[in-house]
Amino acid sequence: VKIAVLGTGSVGRTMAARFATIGHDVTVGTRDVQATLTRSEPDAMGNPPFSTWAAGHSQVPLLSFAEAAANAELVVNATNGGVSIEVLTQAGADNLAGKVLLDIANPLDFSQGFPPTLFVKDTDSLGEQIQRAYPDVKVVKALNTMNTAVMVDPTLVPAPHDVFIAGNDADAKRRVAGLLGEWFGWTPGSIIDVGDITAARGTEMMLPVWLRLWQALGTNQINFHIARAGV
Ligand SMILES: NC(=O)c1ccc[n+]([C@@H]2O[C@H](COP(=O)([O-])OP(=O)(O)OC[C@H]3O[C@@H](n4cnc5c(N)ncnc54)[C@H](OP(=O)(O)O)[C@@H]3O)[C@@H](O)[C@H]2O)c1
C-alpha cells in the first residue's frame, strides 16, 4: 500500500517506521521539507529533531504535505489537532479526494497548560470537522485513544485492550480494521466499530480520562478495555 503519513511528531515517526519495516511504500508529509530537516532543536514534546529520525530511516522520503498526499493511496493524519484542517488544506482536496484518511489526531488545546482541554467536544468533534471540510475523503477515526507505541504494538499492554474505529464509510472502516490487524497485530475481537463519524465525539472525549490515568498510574503503556457480559 502507498501510504502518506502527514506529521513529523512521534506519531508520524512511529507509524512511518512501522510501515517501512513491513515493506510498505511510505512517505512523511511536512510543511517545509528543508525547514524540517534543518531544525536542530528537540520538538515541543522533547523528541529529537526530525533529521535524527530521518538519518535512521533513509528509505522514508520527507515530502511536502501535498506531494505526500498526491502519491498515496491511503493517508494518515498524524498532525497537531489544532492545525489538522489547515494541514489537509495544504495537502490539497484534490490529492485527498476518494482516499481513506486514518485520523489519529486529537483536539487538544494546551494554551492553558497541562492537562489540555478539548477545543471541540460534546456536539461536534475534530473527526466530524475534517469530514465536513473534505466530504470526498473517507475519514476513519482510530487509534487516538492510546499512546503511539501501543498503537503499533498492542502486545506492549499484556492484557485484553481495545481500539475504536468511527467513520461514515463502511468499506473504509472494514479496510482500516483489516489493516490494523495486518500492520500492527490488532485482533478482530479488539477492534470495536463505534459507529459513524459522530462517534468520534466520544472517542476524542476519552482523552481527558486517558491523560489523567497516565498521570495517576505513571505509565503511558496503558489502554482502555471494554469488558462485555458473555464475551
Ligand atoms: N503522541 C501520542 O502518543 C499520541 C497519541 C494519540 C493521539 N495523538 C495525536 O496525534 C497527533 C500527532 O501527535 P504528535 O505528538 O505526533 O505530533 P504533534 O506535535 O501534535 O504534531 C506535529 C505535526 O503538526 C504539524 N504542525 C504544527 N503546527 C502546524 C501549523 N501551524 N501548520 C501546519 N502544520 C503544523 C507539524 O508540521 P511540521 O512537520 O511542518 O513541523 C507536524 O507535522 C496529535 O493530534 C495528537 O493529539 C498523539
Side-chain angles (χ1 to χ4, degrees), residues 7-12 29-32 36 39 45 65 78-81 83 86-87 90 104-106 108 143-144 146-148 151:
T8 57
S10 58
V11 177
T30 190
R31 276 170 287 187
D32 178 332
T36 299
R39 259 179 238 150
M45 304 304 285
F65 288 129
T79 62
N80 179 311
V83 301
E86 165 58 22
V87 165
Q90 290 179 29
I104 306 176
N106 279 310
L108 302 181
L143 296 169
N144 62 305
M146 67 196 78
N147 175 263
T148 187
M151 294 177 197

Side-chain angles (χ1 to χ4, degrees), residues 77 86 99 140 161 172 183 202 229:
N77 176 28
E86 165 58 22
K99 295 179 182 173
V140 178
H161 58 108
W183 290 337

Side-chain angles (χ1 to χ4, degrees), residues 17 122 163 175:
D122 295 331
V163 57
R175 176 137 190 250

Side-chain angles (χ1 to χ4, degrees), residues 121-175:
K121 62 183 167 67
D122 295 331
T123 55
D124 198 3
S125 61
L126 180 59
E128 287 167 88
Q129 289 182 341
I130 292 172
Q131 185 62 83
R132 280 199 302 275
Y134 300 94
D136 296 336
V137 176
K138 298 166 187 171
V139 180
V140 178
K141 188 102 208 177
L143 296 169
N144 62 305
T145 52
M146 67 196 78
N147 175 263
T148 187
V150 177
M151 294 177 197
V152 302
D153 184 4
T155 66
L156 288 176
V157 179
H161 58 108
D162 302 314
V163 57
F164 307 105
I165 60 173
N168 294 343
D169 189 294
D171 283 341
K173 281 195 289 191
R174 265 193 295 277
R175 176 137 190 250

Side-chain angles (χ1 to χ4, degrees), residues 25-154:
D25 184 352
V26 57
T27 63
V28 172
T30 190
R31 276 170 287 187
D32 178 332
V33 171
Q34 268 322 104
T36 299
L37 288 176
T38 51
R39 259 179 238 150
S40 55
E41 298 300 313
D43 71 12
M45 304 304 285
N47 301 304
F50 187 81
S51 55
T52 306
W53 181 88
H57 299 86
S58 52
Q59 74 277 42
V60 181
L62 182 68
L63 304 175
S64 70
F65 288 129
E67 289 167 333
N71 292 322
E73 299 161 44
L74 187 145
V75 180
V76 177
N77 176 28
T79 62
N80 179 311
V83 301
S84 290
I85 302 261
E86 165 58 22
V87 165
L88 295 172
T89 303
Q90 290 179 29
D94 290 349
N95 293 330
L96 298 168
K99 295 179 182 173
V100 173
L101 178 77
L102 170 56
D103 175 31
I104 306 176
N106 279 310
L108 302 181
D109 176 357
F110 285 93
S111 61
Q112 305 302 312
F114 192 92
T117 55
L118 299 174
F119 63 76
V120 57
K121 62 183 167 67
D122 295 331
T123 55
D124 198 3
S125 61
L126 180 59
E128 287 167 88
Q129 289 182 341
I130 292 172
Q131 185 62 83
R132 280 199 302 275
Y134 300 94
D136 296 336
V137 176
K138 298 166 187 171
V139 180
V140 178
K141 188 102 208 177
L143 296 169
N144 62 305
T145 52
M146 67 196 78
N147 175 263
T148 187
V150 177
M151 294 177 197
V152 302
D153 184 4

